[in-house]
Amino acid sequence: MIRKTIRNTAVFAAGIAMILSLNGMDIQAAEAYRDTAVAGIDAAIDEYILNAPQEPSVPEETEATEAEPSEALVQAEAVTEAPVPESTARYPQFENRLMANVTDYMNIRSEADENSEAVGKLPHGAVADVLEQGEAWTKIESGSVVGYVKNEYVVFGDDAGDYAAANCDKIATVTTTTLKVREEANTDSTCLTLIPEGETYEVLEEQEGWTKLLIADEFSGYVSNEFIRIEFDLGKAISKEEEEAEQARQAQAAQAAQSSANANTQQAPQQTVPEDGVVSGTRQDVVNYALQFVGNPYVYGGTSLTNGTDCSGFTMSVFAHFGYTLNRTSRGQINNGTNIGIYEVQPGDLLFYNNGGTTIGHVAIYIGNGQIVHASTPKTGIIVSNAYYQTPCGATRILP
């Protein structure tokens, strides 16, 4: 192919030169000159091809080989991609969400009609995802409930954010393995206790770089903002079935507490441990009984498992149901049984906390798997927590 191209080009050039030199030459002489010139060109081409350096051969692409896009094409495609616009919302976490603007709760309907069935409730302080927003009704999802709410009773987007800022508390979640709680908002301050990753606490106060948390009862301290995530403490919708189950649970807990009170009035004079050393229930019975009251209120100085109790009132009332009489305060209860190591606890044992001080200030019932049940704070009431949500200072075994 190369030889043919070179030859044709050379012949064409020779032809032009010959025409220009034909002046005064006869036809026969011209033809002889042409043949001689072409023959000489052929010889020269053969000489050039024989001695010229050869280019490496390029293998043909197989069917499975795909040609790489050129760099220019890649750059062009990158330029044409539309950038993702940043959110301009003041509260990005409330985009496509709403909150109930009510003092108690609002109904969630099965259809966009006030006469349709109520499938759940959206309480004050609860948030929901917007599925379809209409002029008068909006379809939402919150918790396990999907349904419709009337727009006049809700606030959307940034308005929901403003509503939350004015009406909802904040919680902080620990994002590091172990976080120091300090007496003051600086690293030179005394470390009161350690709190673990994943636990959440009520936010009492925010300062530059520091946040004051309520740890338990009246115990609070400061943590660095670098190691926590702060969010609004938002609720969610309650389905009709969930509401009925909670009502049944509360009725059962009230009945159990009443039975315990009736039994206590028939007991012999109080004693720390029954003389025969036999408890009317296993460790799991104690745990199961205590867990019935989760969700009930915390009341400082209270002892009612249904209407309100503080931490030591909770443990005292639970063990009273099984025939044990404990001291009224957490400081006294640590001496009601056998002291054990804080990592030796079994379900039904008591764990104690000094709330960052030098004396005991809180008590809980260990329920197994690294968890406790306790009357925690006025905001949370009786809850289940990580047993090491703050550093325990002691443990006592009441049950044999």
Side-chain angles (χ1 to χ4, degrees):
M1 179 68 180
I2 295 174
R3 185 182 186 286
K4 183 178 180 182
T5 302
I6 295 174
R7 183 182 183 281
N8 290 342
T9 304
V11 169
F12 177 77
I16 296 299
M18 180 181 69
I19 292 172
L20 294 175
S21 63
L22 284 179
N23 187 21
M25 187 181 294
D26 59 23
I27 297 301
Q28 185 176 1
E31 289 178 351
Y33 176 82
R34 182 198 63 193
D35 292 340
T36 302
V38 171
I41 289 170
D42 280 343
I45 290 172
D46 290 339
E47 176 76 12
Y48 173 80
I49 292 176
L50 180 64
N51 297 320
Q54 301 296 313
E55 293 185 3
S57 60
V58 179
E60 295 182 1
E61 291 183 337
T62 65
E63 193 172 321
T65 303
E66 294 182 5
E68 293 288 337
S70 69
E71 183 177 353
L73 179 59
V74 171
Q75 291 178 349
E77 289 178 347
V79 170
T80 57
E81 289 183 0
V84 178
E86 294 185 4
S87 173
T88 58
R90 290 182 292 109
Y91 298 94
Q93 66 270 42
F94 283 95
E95 286 191 282
N96 299 316
R97 306 182 88 188
L98 59 77
M99 291 190 70
N101 185 11
V102 293
T103 56
D104 191 4
Y105 68 88
M106 66 179 301
N107 287 318
I108 303 172
R109 303 284 180 180
S110 60
E111 303 292 339
D113 186 335
E114 289 183 346
N115 296 319
S116 65
E117 178 188 6
V119 295
K121 294 178 178 179
L122 192 65
H124 166 77
V127 67
D129 294 325
V130 174
L131 301 181
E132 298 174 14
Q133 183 175 347
E135 293 184 4
W137 292 83
T138 294
K139 188 177 183 180
I140 66 162
E141 180 175 9
S142 180
S144 62
V145 185
V146 176
Y148 293 84
V149 294
K150 206 165 187 180
N151 291 352
E152 64 181 286
Y153 301 116
V154 300
V155 283
F156 297 87
D158 283 340
D159 290 335
D162 288 333
Y163 185 85
N167 295 277
C168 299
D169 295 325
K170 290 183 178 180
I171 57 173
T173 303
V174 180
T175 58
T176 189
T177 304
T178 304
L179 180 58
K180 293 180 178 180
V181 179
R182 298 190 179 275
E183 187 174 9
E184 302 294 338
N186 61 76
T187 55
D188 296 327
S189 179
T190 302
C191 177
L192 301 176
T193 190
L194 302 174
I195 54 180
E197 184 175 11
E199 281 294 295
T200 58
Y201 302 87
E202 181 182 349
V203 172
L204 297 179
E205 176 187 326
E206 293 181 76
Q207 298 184 11
E208 185 176 355
W210 293 84
T211 297
K212 188 176 184 179
L213 304 181
L214 179 64
I215 307 300
D217 281 342
E218 298 180 355
F219 169 44
S220 61
Y222 292 88
V223 298
S224 171
N225 288 353
E226 184 180 354
F227 305 109
I228 58 174
R229 182 179 67 253
I230 299 177
E231 301 169 305
F232 288 110
D233 187 11
L234 304 174
K236 60 183 180 180
I238 303 170
S239 70
K240 186 177 180 180
E241 294 76 16
E242 289 169 337
E243 183 180 20
E244 291 173 350
E246 176 61 19
Q247 290 172 347
R249 185 197 68 80
Q250 291 183 5
Q252 184 180 13
Q255 184 178 5
Q258 184 61 47
S259 298
S260 175
N262 293 338
N264 288 340
T265 60
Q266 302 172 7
Q267 284 181 359
Q270 292 186 345
Q271 53 209 19
T272 300
V273 179
E275 292 180 353
D276 58 6
V278 178
V279 64
S280 57
T282 65
R283 289 179 175 277
Q284 195 58 50
D285 290 334
V286 172
V287 170
N288 291 343
Y289 180 73
L291 289 174
Q292 293 181 71
F293 306 102
V294 170
N296 288 346
Y298 174 101
V299 174
Y300 181 76
T303 59
S304 171
L305 295 172
T306 53
N307 297 324
T309 181
D310 58 19
C311 66
S312 56
F314 175 70
T315 53
M316 182 185 74
S317 298
V318 168
F319 277 92
H321 179 72
F322 295 93
Y324 289 91
T325 301
L326 304 185
N327 290 342
R328 177 61 185 87
T329 66
S330 57
R331 290 186 294 276
Q333 289 179 8
I334 199 170
N335 299 315
N336 285 150
T338 303
N339 293 141
I340 58 176
I342 60 175
Y343 295 106
E344 298 175 10
V345 288
Q346 297 178 19
D349 291 338
L350 298 180
L351 269 174
F352 297 87
Y353 306 85
N354 60 16
N355 291 347
T358 57
T359 61
I360 294 170
H362 192 67
V363 62
I365 300 173
Y366 184 73
I367 62 174
N369 297 320
Q371 293 185 309
I372 54 173
V373 59
H374 59 143
S376 180
T377 68
K379 178 174 177 55
T380 60
I382 300 173
I383 60 172
V384 172
S385 300
N386 184 320
Y388 305 97
Y389 79 105
Q390 62 166 305
T391 309
C393 65
T396 289
R397 179 159 293 160
I398 304 297
L399 306 175

mmCIF file with all atom_site columns, all heavy atoms in Angstrom, residues 194-209:
data_model
loop_
_atom_site.group_PDB
_atom_site.id
_atom_site.type_symbol
_atom_site.label_atom_id
_atom_site.label_alt_id
_atom_site.label_comp_id
_atom_site.label_asym_id
_atom_site.label_entity_id
_atom_site.label_seq_id
_atom_site.pdbx_PDB_ins_code
_atom_site.Cartn_x
_atom_site.Cartn_y
_atom_site.Cartn_z
_atom_site.occupancy
_atom_site.B_iso_or_equiv
_atom_site.pdbx_formal_charge
_atom_site.auth_seq_id
_atom_site.auth_comp_id
_atom_site.auth_asym_id
_atom_site.auth_atom_id
_atom_site.pdbx_PDB_model_num
ATOM 1   N N   . LEU A 1 194 ? -17.627 8.803  83.427 1.00 0.00 ? 194 LEU A N   1
ATOM 2   C CA  . LEU A 1 194 ? -17.425 8.454  82.028 1.00 0.00 ? 194 LEU A CA  1
ATOM 3   C C   . LEU A 1 194 ? -18.734 7.909  81.470 1.00 0.00 ? 194 LEU A C   1
ATOM 4   O O   . LEU A 1 194 ? -19.425 7.145  82.138 1.00 0.00 ? 194 LEU A O   1
ATOM 5   C CB  . LEU A 1 194 ? -16.318 7.407  81.894 1.00 0.00 ? 194 LEU A CB  1
ATOM 6   C CG  . LEU A 1 194 ? -14.953 7.779  82.460 1.00 0.00 ? 194 LEU A CG  1
ATOM 7   C CD1 . LEU A 1 194 ? -14.001 6.585  82.384 1.00 0.00 ? 194 LEU A CD1 1
ATOM 8   C CD2 . LEU A 1 194 ? -14.358 8.961  81.712 1.00 0.00 ? 194 LEU A CD2 1
ATOM 9   N N   . ILE A 1 195 ? -19.056 8.296  80.245 1.00 0.00 ? 195 ILE A N   1
ATOM 10  C CA  . ILE A 1 195 ? -20.284 7.813  79.613 1.00 0.00 ? 195 ILE A CA  1
ATOM 11  C C   . ILE A 1 195 ? -19.928 7.153  78.286 1.00 0.00 ? 195 ILE A C   1
ATOM 12  O O   . ILE A 1 195 ? -18.990 7.561  77.607 1.00 0.00 ? 195 ILE A O   1
ATOM 13  C CB  . ILE A 1 195 ? -21.320 8.941  79.414 1.00 0.00 ? 195 ILE A CB  1
ATOM 14  C CG1 . ILE A 1 195 ? -20.720 10.130 78.659 1.00 0.00 ? 195 ILE A CG1 1
ATOM 15  C CG2 . ILE A 1 195 ? -21.859 9.400  80.762 1.00 0.00 ? 195 ILE A CG2 1
ATOM 16  C CD1 . ILE A 1 195 ? -21.687 11.267 78.422 1.00 0.00 ? 195 ILE A CD1 1
ATOM 17  N N   . PRO A 1 196 ? -20.671 6.085  77.903 1.00 0.00 ? 196 PRO A N   1
ATOM 18  C CA  . PRO A 1 196 ? -20.272 5.274  76.738 1.00 0.00 ? 196 PRO A CA  1
ATOM 19  C C   . PRO A 1 196 ? -20.873 5.733  75.418 1.00 0.00 ? 196 PRO A C   1
ATOM 20  O O   . PRO A 1 196 ? -21.869 6.456  75.379 1.00 0.00 ? 196 PRO A O   1
ATOM 21  C CB  . PRO A 1 196 ? -20.791 3.886  77.114 1.00 0.00 ? 196 PRO A CB  1
ATOM 22  C CG  . PRO A 1 196 ? -22.030 4.175  77.900 1.00 0.00 ? 196 PRO A CG  1
ATOM 23  C CD  . PRO A 1 196 ? -21.756 5.444  78.660 1.00 0.00 ? 196 PRO A CD  1
ATOM 24  N N   . GLU A 1 197 ? -20.285 5.239  74.343 1.00 0.00 ? 197 GLU A N   1
ATOM 25  C CA  . GLU A 1 197 ? -20.748 5.533  72.982 1.00 0.00 ? 197 GLU A CA  1
ATOM 26  C C   . GLU A 1 197 ? -22.164 5.009  72.761 1.00 0.00 ? 197 GLU A C   1
ATOM 27  O O   . GLU A 1 197 ? -22.528 3.939  73.230 1.00 0.00 ? 197 GLU A O   1
ATOM 28  C CB  . GLU A 1 197 ? -19.800 4.881  71.971 1.00 0.00 ? 197 GLU A CB  1
ATOM 29  C CG  . GLU A 1 197 ? -20.114 5.201  70.523 1.00 0.00 ? 197 GLU A CG  1
ATOM 30  C CD  . GLU A 1 197 ? -19.095 4.648  69.562 1.00 0.00 ? 197 GLU A CD  1
ATOM 31  O OE1 . GLU A 1 197 ? -18.241 3.827  70.000 1.00 0.00 ? 197 GLU A OE1 1
ATOM 32  O OE2 . GLU A 1 197 ? -19.124 5.008  68.385 1.00 0.00 ? 197 GLU A OE2 1
ATOM 33  N N   . GLY A 1 198 ? -22.962 5.810  72.078 1.00 0.00 ? 198 GLY A N   1
ATOM 34  C CA  . GLY A 1 198 ? -24.316 5.412  71.723 1.00 0.00 ? 198 GLY A CA  1
ATOM 35  C C   . GLY A 1 198 ? -25.381 5.824  72.712 1.00 0.00 ? 198 GLY A C   1
ATOM 36  O O   . GLY A 1 198 ? -26.564 5.833  72.367 1.00 0.00 ? 198 GLY A O   1
ATOM 37  N N   . GLU A 1 199 ? -25.002 6.181  73.947 1.00 0.00 ? 199 GLU A N   1
ATOM 38  C CA  . GLU A 1 199 ? -25.993 6.607  74.931 1.00 0.00 ? 199 GLU A CA  1
ATOM 39  C C   . GLU A 1 199 ? -26.473 8.028  74.633 1.00 0.00 ? 199 GLU A C   1
ATOM 40  O O   . GLU A 1 199 ? -25.724 8.857  74.102 1.00 0.00 ? 199 GLU A O   1
ATOM 41  C CB  . GLU A 1 199 ? -25.405 6.552  76.342 1.00 0.00 ? 199 GLU A CB  1
ATOM 42  C CG  . GLU A 1 199 ? -25.358 5.159  76.940 1.00 0.00 ? 199 GLU A CG  1
ATOM 43  C CD  . GLU A 1 199 ? -26.745 4.595  77.171 1.00 0.00 ? 199 GLU A CD  1
ATOM 44  O OE1 . GLU A 1 199 ? -27.485 5.142  77.998 1.00 0.00 ? 199 GLU A OE1 1
ATOM 45  O OE2 . GLU A 1 199 ? -27.090 3.600  76.512 1.00 0.00 ? 199 GLU A OE2 1
ATOM 46  N N   . THR A 1 200 ? -27.728 8.305  74.977 1.00 0.00 ? 200 THR A N   1
ATOM 47  C CA  . THR A 1 200 ? -28.295 9.630  74.761 1.00 0.00 ? 200 THR A CA  1
ATOM 48  C C   . THR A 1 200 ? -28.663 10.276 76.089 1.00 0.00 ? 200 THR A C   1
ATOM 49  O O   . THR A 1 200 ? -29.087 9.591  77.025 1.00 0.00 ? 200 THR A O   1
ATOM 50  C CB  . THR A 1 200 ? -29.546 9.556  73.871 1.00 0.00 ? 200 THR A CB  1
ATOM 51  O OG1 . THR A 1 200 ? -30.512 8.698  74.494 1.00 0.00 ? 200 THR A OG1 1
ATOM 52  C CG2 . THR A 1 200 ? -29.210 9.003  72.493 1.00 0.00 ? 200 THR A CG2 1
ATOM 53  N N   . TYR A 1 201 ? -28.511 11.595 76.149 1.00 0.00 ? 201 TYR A N   1
ATOM 54  C CA  . TYR A 1 201 ? -28.750 12.350 77.378 1.00 0.00 ? 201 TYR A CA  1
ATOM 55  C C   . TYR A 1 201 ? -29.461 13.651 77.029 1.00 0.00 ? 201 TYR A C   1
ATOM 56  O O   . TYR A 1 201 ? -29.277 14.215 75.950 1.00 0.00 ? 201 TYR A O   1
ATOM 57  C CB  . TYR A 1 201 ? -27.434 12.657 78.095 1.00 0.00 ? 201 TYR A CB  1
ATOM 58  C CG  . TYR A 1 201 ? -26.639 11.422 78.445 1.00 0.00 ? 201 TYR A CG  1
ATOM 59  C CD1 . TYR A 1 201 ? -25.755 10.860 77.527 1.00 0.00 ? 201 TYR A CD1 1
ATOM 60  C CD2 . TYR A 1 201 ? -26.789 10.800 79.685 1.00 0.00 ? 201 TYR A CD2 1
ATOM 61  C CE1 . TYR A 1 201 ? -25.030 9.718  77.832 1.00 0.00 ? 201 TYR A CE1 1
ATOM 62  C CE2 . TYR A 1 201 ? -26.070 9.662  80.002 1.00 0.00 ? 201 TYR A CE2 1
ATOM 63  C CZ  . TYR A 1 201 ? -25.193 9.126  79.075 1.00 0.00 ? 201 TYR A CZ  1
ATOM 64  O OH  . TYR A 1 201 ? -24.481 7.984  79.383 1.00 0.00 ? 201 TYR A OH  1
ATOM 65  N N   . GLU A 1 202 ? -30.230 14.138 77.976 1.00 0.00 ? 202 GLU A N   1
ATOM 66  C CA  . GLU A 1 202 ? -30.948 15.391 77.782 1.00 0.00 ? 202 GLU A CA  1
ATOM 67  C C   . GLU A 1 202 ? -29.980 16.564 77.834 1.00 0.00 ? 202 GLU A C   1
ATOM 68  O O   . GLU A 1 202 ? -29.118 16.634 78.701 1.00 0.00 ? 202 GLU A O   1
ATOM 69  C CB  . GLU A 1 202 ? -32.009 15.537 78.869 1.00 0.00 ? 202 GLU A CB  1
ATOM 70  C CG  . GLU A 1 202 ? -32.837 16.817 78.733 1.00 0.00 ? 202 GLU A CG  1
ATOM 71  C CD  . GLU A 1 202 ? -33.850 16.966 79.855 1.00 0.00 ? 202 GLU A CD  1
ATOM 72  O OE1 . GLU A 1 202 ? -34.046 15.989 80.614 1.00 0.00 ? 202 GLU A OE1 1
ATOM 73  O OE2 . GLU A 1 202 ? -34.433 18.061 79.971 1.00 0.00 ? 202 GLU A OE2 1
ATOM 74  N N   . VAL A 1 203 ? -30.135 17.490 76.893 1.00 0.00 ? 203 VAL A N   1
ATOM 75  C CA  . VAL A 1 203 ? -29.303 18.697 76.841 1.00 0.00 ? 203 VAL A CA  1
ATOM 76  C C   . VAL A 1 203 ? -29.908 19.755 77.759 1.00 0.00 ? 203 VAL A C   1
ATOM 77  O O   . VAL A 1 203 ? -31.072 20.124 77.609 1.00 0.00 ? 203 VAL A O   1
ATOM 78  C CB  . VAL A 1 203 ? -29.188 19.230 75.403 1.00 0.00 ? 203 VAL A CB  1
ATOM 79  C CG1 . VAL A 1 203 ? -28.489 20.585 75.385 1.00 0.00 ? 203 VAL A CG1 1
ATOM 80  C CG2 . VAL A 1 203 ? -28.447 18.228 74.514 1.00 0.00 ? 203 VAL A CG2 1
ATOM 81  N N   . LEU A 1 204 ? -29.100 20.239 78.692 1.00 0.00 ? 204 LEU A N   1
ATOM 82  C CA  . LEU A 1 204 ? -29.559 21.287 79.602 1.00 0.00 ? 204 LEU A CA  1
ATOM 83  C C   . LEU A 1 204 ? -29.114 22.675 79.158 1.00 0.00 ? 204 LEU A C   1
ATOM 84  O O   . LEU A 1 204 ? -29.829 23.651 79.360 1.00 0.00 ? 204 LEU A O   1
ATOM 85  C CB  . LEU A 1 204 ? -29.024 21.016 81.019 1.00 0.00 ? 204 LEU A CB  1
ATOM 86  C CG  . LEU A 1 204 ? -29.488 19.722 81.698 1.00 0.00 ? 204 LEU A CG  1
ATOM 87  C CD1 . LEU A 1 204 ? -28.852 19.600 83.076 1.00 0.00 ? 204 LEU A CD1 1
ATOM 88  C CD2 . LEU A 1 204 ? -31.013 19.687 81.802 1.00 0.00 ? 204 LEU A CD2 1
ATOM 89  N N   . GLU A 1 205 ? -27.934 22.737 78.576 1.00 0.00 ? 205 GLU A N   1
ATOM 90  C CA  . GLU A 1 205 ? -27.366 24.045 78.240 1.00 0.00 ? 205 GLU A CA  1
ATOM 91  C C   . GLU A 1 205 ? -26.301 23.866 77.166 1.00 0.00 ? 205 GLU A C   1
ATOM 92  O O   . GLU A 1 205 ? -25.578 22.865 77.163 1.00 0.00 ? 205 GLU A O   1
ATOM 93  C CB  . GLU A 1 205 ? -26.750 24.650 79.509 1.00 0.00 ? 205 GLU A CB  1
ATOM 94  C CG  . GLU A 1 205 ? -26.033 25.972 79.346 1.00 0.00 ? 205 GLU A CG  1
ATOM 95  C CD  . GLU A 1 205 ? -25.319 26.374 80.629 1.00 0.00 ? 205 GLU A CD  1
ATOM 96  O OE1 . GLU A 1 205 ? -25.826 26.068 81.733 1.00 0.00 ? 205 GLU A OE1 1
ATOM 97  O OE2 . GLU A 1 205 ? -24.245 26.985 80.522 1.00 0.00 ? 205 GLU A OE2 1
ATOM 98  N N   . GLU A 1 206 ? -26.216 24.825 76.248 1.00 0.00 ? 206 GLU A N   1
ATOM 99  C CA  . GLU A 1 206 ? -25.192 24.786 75.195 1.00 0.00 ? 206 GLU A CA  1
ATOM 100 C C   . GLU A 1 206 ? -24.302 26.018 75.303 1.00 0.00 ? 206 GLU A C   1
ATOM 101 O O   . GLU A 1 206 ? -24.779 27.133 75.420 1.00 0.00 ? 206 GLU A O   1
ATOM 102 C CB  . GLU A 1 206 ? -25.840 24.735 73.814 1.00 0.00 ? 206 GLU A CB  1
ATOM 103 C CG  . GLU A 1 206 ? -26.603 23.441 73.527 1.00 0.00 ? 206 GLU A CG  1
ATOM 104 C CD  . GLU A 1 206 ? -27.205 23.413 72.138 1.00 0.00 ? 206 GLU A CD  1
ATOM 105 O OE1 . GLU A 1 206 ? -26.442 23.206 71.167 1.00 0.00 ? 206 GLU A OE1 1
ATOM 106 O OE2 . GLU A 1 206 ? -28.430 23.626 72.009 1.00 0.00 ? 206 GLU A OE2 1
ATOM 107 N N   . GLN A 1 207 ? -22.988 25.789 75.284 1.00 0.00 ? 207 GLN A N   1
ATOM 108 C CA  . GLN A 1 207 ? -22.009 26.850 75.276 1.00 0.00 ? 207 GLN A CA  1
ATOM 109 C C   . GLN A 1 207 ? -21.104 26.657 74.070 1.00 0.00 ? 207 GLN A C   1
ATOM 110 O O   . GLN A 1 207 ? -21.219 25.664 73.348 1.00 0.00 ? 207 GLN A O   1
ATOM 111 C CB  . GLN A 1 207 ? -21.172 26.830 76.557 1.00 0.00 ? 207 GLN A CB  1
ATOM 112 C CG  . GLN A 1 207 ? -21.948 27.052 77.839 1.00 0.00 ? 207 GLN A CG  1
ATOM 113 C CD  . GLN A 1 207 ? -21.045 27.123 79.053 1.00 0.00 ? 207 GLN A CD  1
ATOM 114 O OE1 . GLN A 1 207 ? -19.826 27.213 78.930 1.00 0.00 ? 207 GLN A OE1 1
ATOM 115 N NE2 . GLN A 1 207 ? -21.644 27.086 80.234 1.00 0.00 ? 207 GLN A NE2 1
ATOM 116 N N   . GLU A 1 208 ? -20.205 27.581 73.847 1.00 0.00 ? 208 GLU A N   1
ATOM 117 C CA  . GLU A 1 208 ? -19.287 27.470 72.725 1.00 0.00 ? 208 GLU A CA  1
ATOM 118 C C   . GLU A 1 208 ? -18.337 26.290 72.954 1.00 0.00 ? 208 GLU A C   1
ATOM 119 O O   . GLU A 1 208 ? -17.459 26.333 73.810 1.00 0.00 ? 208 GLU A O   1
ATOM 120 C CB  . GLU A 1 208 ? -18.487 28.760 72.553 1.00 0.00 ? 208 GLU A CB  1
ATOM 121 C CG  . GLU A 1 208 ? -17.585 28.742 71.321 1.00 0.00 ? 208 GLU A CG  1
ATOM 122 C CD  . GLU A 1 208 ? -16.878 30.070 71.111 1.00 0.00 ? 208 GLU A CD  1
ATOM 123 O OE1 . GLU A 1 208 ? -17.166 31.016 71.866 1.00 0.00 ? 208 GLU A OE1 1
ATOM 124 O OE2 . GLU A 1 208 ? -16.025 30.143 70.223 1.00 0.00 ? 208 GLU A OE2 1
ATOM 125 N N   . GLY A 1 209 ? -18.551 25.239 72.184 1.00 0.00 ? 209 GLY A N   1
ATOM 126 C CA  . GLY A 1 209 ? -17.677 24.080 72.265 1.00 0.00 ? 209 GLY A CA  1
ATOM 127 C C   . GLY A 1 209 ? -18.040 23.070 73.330 1.00 0.00 ? 209 GLY A C   1
ATOM 128 O O   . GLY A 1 209 ? -17.460 21.982 73.380 1.00 0.00 ? 209 GLY A O   1
#
